[in-house]
Amino acid sequence: MNDMNKVGIIGWGITPFTKEDKRIETVLLDSTKELFKNNPEINQKDIDAVLVSTNHNSKYLSPILSEMAGIQPKIAHSIENLCNSGTNSIVSAYSYIASGLADMVLVTGAERYDSPGSILEWDNSRGEYKHPIFWASIFAKSYKREYSVSDDELAIVSVKNHKQAKDNPNALSNKTYTVDDVLKSKKLTDDIRLLDCSRPCTGSASIILGSEEKTKQYSKNPVWVNGIGQKTTSAGFTKNGSFSSMESTKRAGSMALKMANKKINDIDVAEIHDAFSVCEPIILESLGFSSEGKGMSMIKELHQTNNFKINPRGGLIGSGHPLGATGIAQTIEITQQLQSNADNRQVRGANVGLIHNMSAAATSSTVLVLEK
Amino acid sequence: MNDMNKVGIIGWGITPFTKEDKRIETVLLDSTKELFKNNPEINQKDIDAVLVSTNHNSKYLSPILSEMAGIQPKIAHSIENLCNSGTNSIVSAYSYIASGLADMVLVTGAERYDSPGSILEWDNSRGEYKHPIFWASIFAKSYKREYSVSDDELAIVSVKNHKQAKDNPNALSNKTYTVDDVLKSKKLTDDIRLLDCSRPCTGSASIILGSEEKTKQYSKNPVWVNGIGQKTTSAGFTKNGSFSSMESTKRAGSMALKMANKKINDIDVAEIHDAFSVCEPIILESLGFSSEGKGMSMIKELHQTNNFKINPRGGLIGSGHPLGATGIAQTIEITQQLQSNADNRQVRGANVGLIHNMSAAATSSTVLVLEK
């Protein structure tokens, strides 16, 4: 990491996740306006790059957002990598700053509830099973069998994350559920019920990253991106090797911790990609928060002690999952946690945070380590 | 530009531009395979990032290409910014390397002849006039009036670039035309005829960029990316201020030359974005190759003396314009020129080259300066 400049988070804006039917341009602008409202000292002229994270099919969205927001950036384009688009865009912003090509980068992620990225249309090996529910179902069956986990136990992920989302004013869900509610919700496959799933929604999240100098200039309470790990193992989930662990998450996690010079035990708070209930214990294990097969024990204990360490904003299950915005919303949550600004969701003494995001059955993963 | 690492071009692969009806995944793989064939010493394991440049609506194309090509990258995503996508992706690759996040980055651009980016669907101020021909028509009318340029003169751009494309084995066109042919080709608007237009096509181009160390290790004939300039002024071309010059091109050009510590007279060979005949003189003027209103004089002289300095591969008019691949194909041409490897298209003594790419009526531009 020689010669690298430090990169920090200067400001953010986020709007409620909903099922609203709005033009993608409007959704993008919503959180960008919120960002400028939250950070009145930032001038549009200071922004060198505008990166748009989305799965929407519309073209040229970065120049369109820039024009609507009064920005004339140098660097401008859209970034797409399914669910992982938001964290990919944050890593790209990091590289523009650390390379010296930009001092301040706006990253805005937005999606509509009917995003085309919600269906995986390319993997012909799946036959008709193009909806992510089918890979989740295979992971659930495999994980439950391998570690003797029951449906009742897995349901706790959904119960916990819905409970935590109640304290997130931007979450799609504001209801709490019991284990019984989860088990009695509509059965979608043998192993997945409706309340086990995150839901696509309309939502937007914006963040500005900056060089060390700009971050110190604009933020009284800076948060730094100190660790980055990314790995793509394949595009088709059947090549993962295991359906009860996630290889790309293991690789991205250890890479990010190494870069930040941290151990997993140093992490005080984390947002992880619980697209489906079963993802949460598997990810905890693949990141090393717990040993293999013990992810559910950790989740149960956190839930019983009302500890918001994992997915304080309610994760994807509680918050909703506007694909291109998710990674940015996760990063905003960890930023708020490290700034002791997370209201009722606050994890006390949070100094080091982690973001885990992934795409398409963990065929690719991104992990970020943030510090204050 | 303190602390920046040097970034070089290690290898490339390109396939003929056609009107073929192939899956986008196949088109992407075509030039990637060609790249590995041209550079057998490069191992897939050495590639840290795979960036896909395209306007195609398919998602997750970078992991899909990676899997097909036997690569397991860290960084993987698609980049879209209309016609400018390819050069945006090269700049992104540069930043990943200069920041230290990657040592070797594969950038593959691909498009099908029916790319959705060929129609500008978002600019409602244009009413029904969504095809780029309409902005080109306004530029042509304005430029001809302002500088007393005739249709006969503008036609020389198409004659010259088709002539040069004859020596490009990958060009869509292999015919030569006279001024009369251009003037008698189908009249699309008052000011634009069919042979004034570049044509969307199916095509793919791949390039590998590397750190200084990797470039020296793998390339006997390294070419360096020494200058980068980018600017977005708006998303709607009616806000350009002038229809006979290109503000974003002026800004990107001077930025790139400054970073490379060069003057425009130092440039020996250039690929510029002649989406339509009228673009070529305007771009030459906006980059400073000629004074305002004198672009056509320069083009006429180059044509008469059979000097391939501008658009040696035939530009977009001669080569065809597979949107996401164009910026990468331009960069490959300049790389070949600087490596004295451009066969009949070779500009003698080419040491410094320039690439100019733009999107949507020059509402955004990218300029690169390469040196051997």
Side-chain angles (χ1 to χ4, degrees), chain B residues 223-275:
Chain B
V223 168
W224 304 100
V225 182
N226 286 350
I228 293 172
Q230 296 191 289
K231 188 67 187 176
T232 299
T233 51
S234 65
F237 85 112
T238 50
K239 301 184 178 90
N240 191 39
S242 158
F243 297 125
S244 48
S245 73
M246 293 171 174
E247 181 62 22
S248 71
T249 291
K250 288 184 185 177
R251 302 280 294 275
S254 62
M255 203 182 297
L257 289 168
K258 188 179 171 195
M259 178 171 160
N261 198 24
K262 296 287 173 201
K263 305 260 177 249
I264 194 73
N265 292 334
D266 298 325
I267 303 298
D268 301 310
V269 60
E271 279 286 324
I272 66 176
H273 190 102
D274 59 325

Tab-separated table of all heavy atoms in Angstrom, chain B residues 223-275:
chain	number	residue	atom	x	y	z
B	223	VAL	N	4.184	1.239	-23.970
B	223	VAL	CA	3.533	2.522	-24.253
B	223	VAL	C	2.897	2.977	-22.939
B	223	VAL	O	2.283	2.176	-22.240
B	223	VAL	CB	2.462	2.351	-25.355
B	223	VAL	CG1	1.579	3.587	-25.467
B	223	VAL	CG2	3.131	2.039	-26.693
B	224	TRP	N	3.092	4.257	-22.612
B	224	TRP	CA	2.660	4.759	-21.303
B	224	TRP	C	1.493	5.728	-21.428
B	224	TRP	O	1.445	6.541	-22.354
B	224	TRP	CB	3.835	5.461	-20.596
B	224	TRP	CG	5.028	4.560	-20.470
B	224	TRP	CD1	6.133	4.552	-21.266
B	224	TRP	CD2	5.204	3.501	-19.515
B	224	TRP	NE1	6.996	3.551	-20.871
B	224	TRP	CE2	6.456	2.893	-19.800
B	224	TRP	CE3	4.441	3.004	-18.457
B	224	TRP	CZ2	6.950	1.819	-19.046
B	224	TRP	CZ3	4.930	1.937	-17.713
B	224	TRP	CH2	6.168	1.361	-18.005
B	225	VAL	N	0.579	5.632	-20.465
B	225	VAL	CA	-0.536	6.586	-20.392
B	225	VAL	C	-0.056	7.750	-19.531
B	225	VAL	O	-0.041	7.672	-18.305
B	225	VAL	CB	-1.788	5.929	-19.763
B	225	VAL	CG1	-2.954	6.920	-19.749
B	225	VAL	CG2	-2.173	4.658	-20.505
B	226	ASN	N	0.364	8.820	-20.185
B	226	ASN	CA	0.969	9.931	-19.433
B	226	ASN	C	0.047	11.123	-19.218
B	226	ASN	O	0.330	11.968	-18.372
B	226	ASN	CB	2.246	10.401	-20.136
B	226	ASN	CG	3.379	9.419	-19.933
B	226	ASN	OD1	3.265	8.487	-19.129
B	226	ASN	ND2	4.472	9.598	-20.657
B	227	GLY	N	-1.022	11.200	-19.983
B	227	GLY	CA	-1.947	12.321	-19.820
B	227	GLY	C	-3.386	11.866	-19.839
B	227	GLY	O	-3.758	11.024	-20.652
B	228	ILE	N	-4.184	12.384	-18.912
B	228	ILE	CA	-5.613	12.072	-18.833
B	228	ILE	C	-6.369	13.369	-18.613
B	228	ILE	O	-6.029	14.148	-17.705
B	228	ILE	CB	-5.919	11.114	-17.664
B	228	ILE	CG1	-5.290	9.740	-17.918
B	228	ILE	CG2	-7.425	10.995	-17.426
B	228	ILE	CD1	-5.384	8.788	-16.733
B	229	GLY	N	-7.390	13.615	-19.419
B	229	GLY	CA	-8.279	14.754	-19.200
B	229	GLY	C	-9.708	14.328	-19.438
B	229	GLY	O	-9.995	13.609	-20.402
B	230	GLN	N	-10.593	14.723	-18.548
B	230	GLN	CA	-12.001	14.393	-18.709
B	230	GLN	C	-12.861	15.574	-18.284
B	230	GLN	O	-12.522	16.287	-17.326
B	230	GLN	CB	-12.378	13.181	-17.847
B	230	GLN	CG	-11.655	11.907	-18.246
B	230	GLN	CD	-12.230	10.681	-17.555
B	230	GLN	OE1	-12.051	10.500	-16.376
B	230	GLN	NE2	-12.914	9.858	-18.308
B	231	LYS	N	-13.958	15.761	-18.958
B	231	LYS	CA	-14.885	16.814	-18.551
B	231	LYS	C	-16.299	16.505	-19.022
B	231	LYS	O	-16.498	16.087	-20.166
B	231	LYS	CB	-14.460	18.169	-19.144
B	231	LYS	CG	-15.254	19.349	-18.602
B	231	LYS	CD	-14.987	19.605	-17.122
B	231	LYS	CE	-15.885	20.656	-16.534
B	231	LYS	NZ	-15.638	20.781	-15.062
B	232	THR	N	-17.259	16.686	-18.121
B	232	THR	CA	-18.678	16.613	-18.445
B	232	THR	C	-19.268	17.998	-18.234
B	232	THR	O	-19.162	18.542	-17.127
B	232	THR	CB	-19.399	15.601	-17.529
B	232	THR	OG1	-18.827	14.312	-17.732
B	232	THR	CG2	-20.886	15.548	-17.811
B	233	THR	N	-19.854	18.567	-19.269
B	233	THR	CA	-20.431	19.904	-19.096
B	233	THR	C	-21.921	19.850	-18.810
B	233	THR	O	-22.459	20.718	-18.134
B	233	THR	CB	-20.189	20.777	-20.349
B	233	THR	OG1	-20.618	20.047	-21.493
B	233	THR	CG2	-18.716	21.119	-20.495
B	234	SER	N	-22.597	18.845	-19.345
B	234	SER	CA	-24.046	18.718	-19.167
B	234	SER	C	-24.461	17.357	-19.691
B	234	SER	O	-23.622	16.547	-20.088
B	234	SER	CB	-24.779	19.826	-19.938
B	234	SER	OG	-24.554	19.652	-21.329
B	235	ALA	N	-25.770	17.108	-19.717
B	235	ALA	CA	-26.255	15.895	-20.374
B	235	ALA	C	-27.021	16.253	-21.646
B	235	ALA	O	-27.189	15.424	-22.520
B	235	ALA	CB	-27.152	15.104	-19.433
B	236	GLY	N	-27.480	17.472	-21.749
B	236	GLY	CA	-28.277	17.893	-22.906
B	236	GLY	C	-27.467	18.838	-23.784
B	236	GLY	O	-26.939	19.839	-23.304
B	237	PHE	N	-27.371	18.530	-25.080
B	237	PHE	CA	-26.417	19.244	-25.933
B	237	PHE	C	-26.832	20.685	-26.187
B	237	PHE	O	-26.011	21.502	-26.589
B	237	PHE	CB	-26.222	18.503	-27.257
B	237	PHE	CG	-27.235	18.817	-28.305
B	237	PHE	CD1	-26.878	19.508	-29.448
B	237	PHE	CD2	-28.547	18.429	-28.156
B	237	PHE	CE1	-27.813	19.796	-30.428
B	237	PHE	CE2	-29.483	18.710	-29.128
B	237	PHE	CZ	-29.121	19.392	-30.274
B	238	THR	N	-28.097	21.008	-25.948
B	238	THR	CA	-28.523	22.393	-26.173
B	238	THR	C	-27.895	23.339	-25.150
B	238	THR	O	-27.975	24.548	-25.298
B	238	THR	CB	-30.056	22.490	-26.094
B	238	THR	OG1	-30.489	21.846	-24.891
B	238	THR	CG2	-30.711	21.820	-27.284
B	239	LYS	N	-27.240	22.797	-24.132
B	239	LYS	CA	-26.606	23.647	-23.115
B	239	LYS	C	-25.132	23.886	-23.410
B	239	LYS	O	-24.403	24.431	-22.580
B	239	LYS	CB	-26.790	23.023	-21.735
B	239	LYS	CG	-28.270	22.860	-21.423
B	239	LYS	CD	-28.558	22.340	-20.040
B	239	LYS	CE	-30.070	22.253	-19.814
B	239	LYS	NZ	-30.649	20.961	-20.210
B	240	ASN	N	-24.679	23.442	-24.575
B	240	ASN	CA	-23.257	23.539	-24.916
B	240	ASN	C	-22.767	24.979	-25.047
B	240	ASN	O	-21.584	25.255	-24.882
B	240	ASN	CB	-22.991	22.791	-26.248
B	240	ASN	CG	-21.518	22.607	-26.537
B	240	ASN	OD1	-20.738	22.337	-25.617
B	240	ASN	ND2	-21.121	22.761	-27.789
B	241	GLY	N	-23.687	25.920	-25.348
B	241	GLY	CA	-23.259	27.314	-25.507
B	241	GLY	C	-22.948	27.637	-26.952
B	241	GLY	O	-23.355	28.657	-27.483
B	242	SER	N	-22.214	26.757	-27.623
B	242	SER	CA	-21.881	26.946	-29.035
B	242	SER	C	-22.150	25.646	-29.763
B	242	SER	O	-21.983	24.565	-29.203
B	242	SER	CB	-20.398	27.312	-29.163
B	242	SER	OG	-19.933	27.012	-30.468
B	243	PHE	N	-22.587	25.726	-31.022
B	243	PHE	CA	-22.747	24.519	-31.828
B	243	PHE	C	-21.644	24.410	-32.870
B	243	PHE	O	-21.736	23.628	-33.801
B	243	PHE	CB	-24.126	24.487	-32.496
B	243	PHE	CG	-25.240	24.427	-31.504
B	243	PHE	CD1	-26.264	25.368	-31.530
B	243	PHE	CD2	-25.256	23.461	-30.512
B	243	PHE	CE1	-27.292	25.321	-30.601
B	243	PHE	CE2	-26.282	23.402	-29.576
B	243	PHE	CZ	-27.304	24.346	-29.617
B	244	SER	N	-20.589	25.217	-32.724
B	244	SER	CA	-19.464	25.067	-33.647
B	244	SER	C	-18.145	24.911	-32.898
B	244	SER	O	-17.068	25.033	-33.474
B	244	SER	CB	-19.421	26.235	-34.637
B	244	SER	OG	-19.559	27.460	-33.965
B	245	SER	N	-18.237	24.631	-31.595
B	245	SER	CA	-17.052	24.227	-30.842
B	245	SER	C	-17.521	23.289	-29.733
B	245	SER	O	-18.724	23.153	-29.511
B	245	SER	CB	-16.324	25.437	-30.258
B	245	SER	OG	-17.059	25.960	-29.176
B	246	MET	N	-16.592	22.632	-29.060
B	246	MET	CA	-16.947	21.645	-28.045
B	246	MET	C	-16.209	21.949	-26.747
B	246	MET	O	-15.013	21.675	-26.611
B	246	MET	CB	-16.607	20.243	-28.546
B	246	MET	CG	-17.489	19.818	-29.737
B	246	MET	SD	-16.936	18.278	-30.487
B	246	MET	CE	-18.260	17.973	-31.687
B	247	GLU	N	-16.958	22.507	-25.791
B	247	GLU	CA	-16.355	22.966	-24.546
B	247	GLU	C	-15.715	21.811	-23.755
B	247	GLU	O	-14.598	21.937	-23.247
B	247	GLU	CB	-17.420	23.674	-23.702
B	247	GLU	CG	-16.954	24.244	-22.383
B	247	GLU	CD	-15.888	25.332	-22.519
B	247	GLU	OE1	-15.788	25.955	-23.607
B	247	GLU	OE2	-15.132	25.546	-21.547
B	248	SER	N	-16.415	20.679	-23.666
B	248	SER	CA	-15.864	19.573	-22.859
B	248	SER	C	-14.571	19.049	-23.483
B	248	SER	O	-13.651	18.633	-22.771
B	248	SER	CB	-16.889	18.445	-22.711
B	248	SER	OG	-17.071	17.750	-23.920
B	249	THR	N	-14.481	19.103	-24.813
B	249	THR	CA	-13.266	18.659	-25.494
B	249	THR	C	-12.109	19.628	-25.235
B	249	THR	O	-10.965	19.211	-24.999
B	249	THR	CB	-13.543	18.517	-27.008
B	249	THR	OG1	-14.431	17.410	-27.200
B	249	THR	CG2	-12.276	18.278	-27.797
B	250	LYS	N	-12.413	20.915	-25.251
B	250	LYS	CA	-11.373	21.909	-24.927
B	250	LYS	C	-10.801	21.650	-23.535
B	250	LYS	O	-9.581	21.630	-23.342
B	250	LYS	CB	-11.970	23.327	-24.962
B	250	LYS	CG	-12.291	23.845	-26.342
B	250	LYS	CD	-12.787	25.299	-26.263
B	250	LYS	CE	-13.223	25.773	-27.647
B	250	LYS	NZ	-13.778	27.133	-27.638
B	251	ARG	N	-11.701	21.454	-22.575
B	251	ARG	CA	-11.274	21.281	-21.184
B	251	ARG	C	-10.501	19.973	-20.998
B	251	ARG	O	-9.452	19.941	-20.344
B	251	ARG	CB	-12.493	21.316	-20.250
B	251	ARG	CG	-13.304	22.619	-20.348
B	251	ARG	CD	-12.673	23.744	-19.555
B	251	ARG	NE	-12.706	23.461	-18.138
B	251	ARG	CZ	-13.755	23.734	-17.346
B	251	ARG	NH1	-14.833	24.324	-17.843
B	251	ARG	NH2	-13.723	23.465	-16.063
B	252	ALA	N	-11.024	18.901	-21.575
B	252	ALA	CA	-10.355	17.593	-21.425
B	252	ALA	C	-9.000	17.606	-22.123
B	252	ALA	O	-8.002	17.064	-21.613
B	252	ALA	CB	-11.244	16.484	-21.986
B	253	GLY	N	-8.932	18.238	-23.291
B	253	GLY	CA	-7.680	18.298	-24.047
B	253	GLY	C	-6.591	19.040	-23.305
B	253	GLY	O	-5.455	18.550	-23.158
B	254	SER	N	-6.925	20.216	-22.792
B	254	SER	CA	-5.869	20.983	-22.127
B	254	SER	C	-5.439	20.291	-20.826
B	254	SER	O	-4.264	20.304	-20.459
B	254	SER	CB	-6.313	22.434	-21.893
B	254	SER	OG	-7.423	22.465	-21.053
B	255	MET	N	-6.392	19.635	-20.160
B	255	MET	CA	-6.066	18.892	-18.927
B	255	MET	C	-5.100	17.737	-19.211
B	255	MET	O	-4.116	17.530	-18.481
B	255	MET	CB	-7.381	18.352	-18.350
B	255	MET	CG	-7.403	18.049	-16.881
B	255	MET	SD	-9.064	17.363	-16.410
B	255	MET	CE	-10.143	18.756	-16.778
B	256	ALA	N	-5.363	17.009	-20.282
B	256	ALA	CA	-4.521	15.853	-20.617
B	256	ALA	C	-3.121	16.294	-21.041
B	256	ALA	O	-2.115	15.683	-20.640
B	256	ALA	CB	-5.179	15.034	-21.730
B	257	LEU	N	-3.050	17.344	-21.845
B	257	LEU	CA	-1.731	17.829	-22.298
B	257	LEU	C	-0.921	18.348	-21.115
B	257	LEU	O	0.282	18.093	-21.000
B	257	LEU	CB	-1.915	18.933	-23.349
B	257	LEU	CG	-2.425	18.460	-24.716
B	257	LEU	CD1	-2.851	19.649	-25.579
B	257	LEU	CD2	-1.372	17.617	-25.450
B	258	LYS	N	-1.599	19.054	-20.214
B	258	LYS	CA	-0.907	19.586	-19.034
B	258	LYS	C	-0.351	18.440	-18.178
B	258	LYS	O	0.813	18.474	-17.747
B	258	LYS	CB	-1.879	20.444	-18.216
B	258	LYS	CG	-1.226	21.200	-17.095
B	258	LYS	CD	-2.248	22.058	-16.336
B	258	LYS	CE	-1.582	22.619	-15.076
B	258	LYS	NZ	-2.585	23.148	-14.129
B	259	MET	N	-1.162	17.438	-17.949
B	259	MET	CA	-0.702	16.304	-17.127
B	259	MET	C	0.498	15.610	-17.781
B	259	MET	O	1.434	15.192	-17.090
B	259	MET	CB	-1.850	15.307	-16.909
B	259	MET	CG	-1.460	14.075	-16.109
B	259	MET	SD	-2.931	13.075	-15.685
B	259	MET	CE	-2.141	11.475	-15.347
B	260	ALA	N	0.478	15.499	-19.109
B	260	ALA	CA	1.584	14.835	-19.826
B	260	ALA	C	2.751	15.789	-20.079
B	260	ALA	O	3.781	15.371	-20.619
B	260	ALA	CB	1.078	14.286	-21.156
B	261	ASN	N	2.557	17.050	-19.724
B	261	ASN	CA	3.581	18.080	-19.968
B	261	ASN	C	3.942	18.172	-21.463
B	261	ASN	O	5.113	18.200	-21.837
B	261	ASN	CB	4.818	17.791	-19.106
B	261	ASN	CG	5.716	19.010	-18.969
B	261	ASN	OD1	5.264	20.150	-19.115
B	261	ASN	ND2	7.001	18.777	-18.706
B	262	LYS	N	2.900	18.214	-22.269
B	262	LYS	CA	3.066	18.305	-23.730
B	262	LYS	C	2.270	19.492	-24.270
B	262	LYS	O	1.325	19.974	-23.622
B	262	LYS	CB	2.530	17.025	-24.407
B	262	LYS	CG	3.282	15.764	-24.060
B	262	LYS	CD	4.646	15.712	-24.722
B	262	LYS	CE	5.445	14.522	-24.208
B	262	LYS	NZ	6.876	14.679	-24.413
B	263	LYS	N	2.655	19.923	-25.463
B	263	LYS	CA	1.851	20.894	-26.224
B	263	LYS	C	1.169	20.129	-27.356
B	263	LYS	O	1.625	19.043	-27.744
B	263	LYS	CB	2.745	21.989	-26.812
B	263	LYS	CG	3.596	22.706	-25.793
B	263	LYS	CD	2.975	24.049	-25.419
B	263	LYS	CE	3.787	24.760	-24.345
B	263	LYS	NZ	3.077	24.832	-23.051
B	264	ILE	N	0.128	20.703	-27.916
B	264	ILE	CA	-0.595	20.008	-28.985
B	264	ILE	C	0.325	19.728	-30.178
B	264	ILE	O	0.180	18.706	-30.856
B	264	ILE	CB	-1.875	20.785	-29.399
B	264	ILE	CG1	-2.802	19.922	-30.259
B	264	ILE	CG2	-1.533	22.104	-30.099
B	264	ILE	CD1	-3.525	18.841	-29.512
B	265	ASN	N	1.315	20.604	-30.384
B	265	ASN	CA	2.249	20.374	-31.501
B	265	ASN	C	3.161	19.167	-31.287
B	265	ASN	O	3.808	18.703	-32.228
B	265	ASN	CB	3.119	21.613	-31.747
B	265	ASN	CG	2.293	22.772	-32.277
B	265	ASN	OD1	1.247	22.556	-32.890
B	265	ASN	ND2	2.744	23.994	-32.024
B	266	ASP	N	3.233	18.694	-30.051
B	266	ASP	CA	4.022	17.492	-29.779
B	266	ASP	C	3.315	16.220	-30.239
B	266	ASP	O	3.929	15.143	-30.289
B	266	ASP	CB	4.300	17.362	-28.275
B	266	ASP	CG	5.121	18.516	-27.738
B	266	ASP	OD1	5.999	19.018	-28.469
B	266	ASP	OD2	4.882	18.929	-26.576
B	267	ILE	N	2.016	16.317	-30.530
B	267	ILE	CA	1.243	15.106	-30.860
B	267	ILE	C	1.528	14.695	-32.307
B	267	ILE	O	1.310	15.468	-33.238
B	267	ILE	CB	-0.279	15.361	-30.681
B	267	ILE	CG1	-0.590	15.825	-29.246
B	267	ILE	CG2	-1.087	14.115	-31.057
B	267	ILE	CD1	-0.254	14.856	-28.141
B	268	ASP	N	1.978	13.467	-32.482
B	268	ASP	CA	2.327	12.975	-33.812
B	268	ASP	C	1.172	12.277	-34.515
B	268	ASP	O	1.127	12.206	-35.741
B	268	ASP	CB	3.499	11.978	-33.713
B	268	ASP	CG	4.727	12.614	-33.088
B	268	ASP	OD1	5.116	13.709	-33.544
B	268	ASP	OD2	5.280	12.028	-32.126
B	269	VAL	N	0.265	11.730	-33.724
B	269	VAL	CA	-0.826	10.935	-34.298
B	269	VAL	C	-1.991	10.951	-33.308
B	269	VAL	O	-1.773	10.941	-32.100
B	269	VAL	CB	-0.345	9.494	-34.626
B	269	VAL	CG1	0.160	8.771	-33.381
B	269	VAL	CG2	-1.417	8.670	-35.323
B	270	ALA	N	-3.211	10.998	-33.854
B	270	ALA	CA	-4.372	11.092	-32.958
B	270	ALA	C	-5.567	10.336	-33.517
B	270	ALA	O	-5.809	10.326	-34.722
B	270	ALA	CB	-4.756	12.559	-32.747
B	271	GLU	N	-6.301	9.697	-32.630
B	271	GLU	CA	-7.621	9.166	-32.942
B	271	GLU	C	-8.638	10.108	-32.312
B	271	GLU	O	-8.588	10.368	-31.099
B	271	GLU	CB	-7.782	7.756	-32.358
B	271	GLU	CG	-7.159	6.655	-33.195
B	271	GLU	CD	-7.967	6.338	-34.453
B	271	GLU	OE1	-9.206	6.387	-34.410
B	271	GLU	OE2	-7.345	6.046	-35.493
B	272	ILE	N	-9.541	10.648	-33.111
B	272	ILE	CA	-10.561	11.546	-32.575
B	272	ILE	C	-11.949	11.081	-32.988
B	272	ILE	O	-12.099	10.326	-33.956
B	272	ILE	CB	-10.310	13.008	-32.998
B	272	ILE	CG1	-10.479	13.185	-34.507
B	272	ILE	CG2	-8.914	13.460	-32.554
B	272	ILE	CD1	-10.349	14.630	-34.963
B	273	HIS	N	-12.962	11.527	-32.241
B	273	HIS	CA	-14.303	10.935	-32.297
B	273	HIS	C	-15.154	11.542	-33.415
B	273	HIS	O	-16.037	12.368	-33.168
B	273	HIS	CB	-14.969	11.121	-30.919
B	273	HIS	CG	-16.242	10.372	-30.742
B	273	HIS	ND1	-16.326	9.198	-30.030
B	273	HIS	CD2	-17.494	10.615	-31.177
B	273	HIS	CE1	-17.573	8.771	-30.029
B	273	HIS	NE2	-18.309	9.614	-30.715
B	274	ASP	N	-14.926	11.110	-34.644
B	274	ASP	CA	-15.693	11.585	-35.793
B	274	ASP	C	-16.998	10.808	-35.959
B	274	ASP	O	-17.215	10.119	-36.953
B	274	ASP	CB	-14.849	11.444	-37.070
B	274	ASP	CG	-14.426	9.984	-37.306
B	274	ASP	OD1	-14.173	9.273	-36.314
B	274	ASP	OD2	-14.376	9.548	-38.474
B	275	ALA	N	-17.894	10.952	-34.992
B	275	ALA	CA	-19.182	10.263	-35.098
B	275	ALA	C	-19.889	10.683	-36.376
B	275	ALA	O	-20.582	9.884	-37.008
B	275	ALA	CB	-20.044	10.581	-33.882
